[in-house]
Amino acid sequence: MSNPLIEPQDLQGLLGTTAVVPIDTRSPEAYAAGHLPGAINMPEIFTFLATSTPEGPGKLCTIR
C-alpha cells in the first residue's frame, strides 16, 4: 500500500493533475467554515483506522 499521507506543499502539485480526494479530519463546524475544493469531511477517520482490521486501511486506499 502506498502512503496516503502527504505534505501540504506536495498537495498543491497534485490538485488538478491527479485524481486526489483530500480528507479533512477537522470538526464538521471547522469544515463548514472553509475547506479545500473537493475535500470530504471525515473527522473520525483515525478512530476507524485504529479499530479496523489489518485489511481495512488497504481497502480504504483502493476506494474509487
Side-chain angles (χ1 to χ4, degrees):
M1 171 174 68
S2 65
N3 186 353
L5 302 176
I6 63 170
E7 296 297 322
Q9 62 270 20
D10 296 331
L11 179 60
Q12 183 66 37
L14 292 174
L15 291 174
T17 62
T18 306
V20 175
V21 178
I23 298 173
D24 190 323
T25 61
R26 298 174 301 150
S27 71
E29 296 80 17
Y31 176 83
H35 56 272
L36 291 170
I40 59 172
N41 187 226
M42 296 180 74
E44 301 297 328
I45 187 67
F46 293 114
T47 301
F48 167 78
L49 291 174
T51 59
S52 84
T53 65
E55 296 80 18
K59 288 180 182 178
L60 179 67
C61 291
T62 59
I63 293 174
R64 304 246 190 277

